[in-house]
Amino acid sequence: MRPTHCGLDAAIEVISGKWKVVILWALSDRSRRFGELRRLIGVSEKVLFQHLRELEADGIVRRETSGGPPMRVEYSLTERGLALNHALKPLGAWGREHLPERAVPVPGDG
């Protein structure tokens, strides 16, 4: 991890990567299992696993295991992740307003 110069730089470092914001979007309304996330997002297992691990290390995503066999693994947003999603809402609104052809609806948004 590199040193950051401002809060925005630190936040961008946490959400950098093509799929991290999409993962936050997918977890915004409820927890989801790995396979469900993969199907919803349309990303490879390797990339999804890598991004989930990074988000978990940053305290954004919580990984919970239960049961077995087979073991059940669910991912959800932590309080920090919920706060990050809340902070990203104005940016999403800007994108929907200024780039409507690229915008995708967010679950539970409007």
Side-chain angles (χ1 to χ4, degrees):
M1 186 175 285
R2 66 182 176 78
T4 56
H5 300 287
C6 69
L8 186 57
D9 191 34
I12 295 297
E13 186 169 324
V14 169
I15 60 171
S16 67
K18 181 176 181 179
W19 300 102
K20 287 185 180 177
V21 174
V22 180
I23 292 168
L24 291 171
W25 164 81
L27 294 174
S28 64
D29 57 342
R30 64 183 178 89
S31 63
R32 297 183 188 269
R33 295 182 69 183
F34 184 88
E36 182 183 10
L37 276 172
R38 186 168 175 261
R39 284 187 301 277
L40 183 64
I41 295 171
V43 63
S44 73
E45 285 185 25
K46 178 184 176 185
V47 171
L48 179 58
F49 183 77
Q50 177 185 356
H51 282 333
L52 285 168
R53 286 289 181 217
E54 290 172 7
L55 288 167
E56 186 180 6
D58 287 329
I60 305 300
V61 168
R62 176 183 307 108
R63 179 180 187 267
E64 295 181 47
T65 58
S66 61
M71 182 171 48
R72 182 179 178 97
V73 179
E74 286 194 344
Y75 294 90
S76 60
L77 295 178
T78 62
E79 289 299 318
R80 182 182 279 186
L82 292 168
L84 178 57
N85 251 2
H86 183 71
L88 290 171
K89 280 186 179 188
L91 188 59
W94 182 92
R96 285 187 300 280
E97 180 181 339
H98 295 281
L99 305 169
E101 68 280 358
R102 297 185 190 178
V104 176
V106 177
D109 189 28

